[in-house]
Amino acid sequence: MSIAHDEALFAKSLNPGGDKEETIGTGRGLESVMRIPVLLQVVLGSASMPVANLMKLGRGAIVPLDHRVGEPVDVVVNGRIIARGEVMVVEDDNSRFGVSLTEIVGPSGSDQG
């Protein structure tokens, strides 16, 4: 799959009805800003352990995470939590995962991470 395909899936999920979308602004300046790449990560959970335990890990080892099955995952952009969601299988490609957003985190909660 290509990045263009991923972007098309993302755009389709944002505007499923195909209606003309509203924009905040237009012009060359905004277009330049909209092309700035950001790092988006989906955090399934984390774990803390001493280096000695880390060094003992081998193939097949299981590291328990702090999130439980069914809890929402954090969606992080450039180190800040912006949303939470549920992991799901991508409809058009059953070999890939995606995230269905269930909560958008406001500015007061975005300083975590």
Side-chain angles (χ1 to χ4, degrees), residues 56-88:
K56 294 177 187 175
L57 295 176
R59 185 180 195 126
I62 296 175
V63 178
L65 302 175
D66 59 355
H67 279 74
R68 299 194 185 283
V69 173
E71 286 184 353
V73 295
D74 293 332
V75 178
V76 178
V77 173
N78 288 348
R80 294 184 182 260
I81 298 173
I82 62 148
R84 292 188 178 83
E86 299 173 352
V87 176
M88 57 188 310

Side-chain angles (χ1 to χ4, degrees), residues 76-109:
V76 178
V77 173
N78 288 348
R80 294 184 182 260
I81 298 173
I82 62 148
R84 292 188 178 83
E86 299 173 352
V87 176
M88 57 188 310
V89 176
V90 175
E91 186 175 310
D92 294 346
D93 182 358
N94 290 336
S95 67
R96 299 177 70 191
F97 292 111
V99 176
S100 175
L101 301 182
T102 57
E103 174 189 359
I104 304 298
V105 177
S108 62

Side-chain angles (χ1 to χ4, degrees), residues 27-83:
R28 296 175 76 165
L30 184 60
E31 184 177 319
S32 297
V33 171
M34 298 303 277
R35 293 179 182 268
I36 296 173
V38 295
L39 177 62
L40 184 134
Q41 298 173 309
V42 176
V43 181
L44 297 175
S46 61
S48 178
M49 69 178 65
V51 173
N53 291 0
L54 180 66
M55 298 301 292
K56 294 177 187 175
L57 295 176
R59 185 180 195 126
I62 296 175
V63 178
L65 302 175
D66 59 355
H67 279 74
R68 299 194 185 283
V69 173
E71 286 184 353
V73 295
D74 293 332
V75 178
V76 178
V77 173
N78 288 348
R80 294 184 182 260
I81 298 173
I82 62 148

